Amino acid sequence: MKTFCKFAAMKVERTISAYKNYFKDFISSLTEAEAKKVFYVIDMLKTPQSEINKAIQLKKEYYAAKR
């Protein structure tokens, strides 16, 4: 297995491993927009859960006020 990327998030190190060149081949088969979406999801793993929860709460408050 080859390590695709490695990063630290919330003092927990996470490693994404890909077998052979499967991930590289998969990403290269996508359009640029699709690849951006995949990397967006991977970047979300770096975001601390507390920030995600805060954003969700703000979104709920925003839409509740519009009703």
Side-chain angles (χ1 to χ4, degrees):
M1 275 195 228
K2 294 183 180 180
T3 301
F4 173 68
C5 65
K6 194 175 190 177
F7 52 86
M10 294 176 24
K11 299 181 184 179
V12 176
E13 189 173 295
R14 300 176 188 208
T15 302
I16 299 173
S17 299
Y19 183 71
K20 295 186 180 181
N21 288 329
Y22 291 157
F23 187 78
K24 183 180 174 186
D25 294 342
F26 167 69
I27 290 295
S28 65
S29 72
L30 300 176
T31 65
E32 186 176 336
E34 293 167 336
K36 277 185 172 182
K37 291 176 186 178
V38 170
F39 287 114
Y40 174 78
V41 171
I42 292 172
D43 285 340
M44 289 299 293
L45 296 173
K46 296 184 211 177
T47 306
Q49 189 62 40
S50 60
E51 289 184 26
I52 293 170
N53 292 341
K54 184 176 180 181
I56 291 170
Q57 182 61 34
L58 289 172
K59 178 181 167 186
K60 288 178 183 176
E61 291 173 8
Y62 173 78
Y63 285 109
K66 289 198 159 249
R67 293 181 187 182

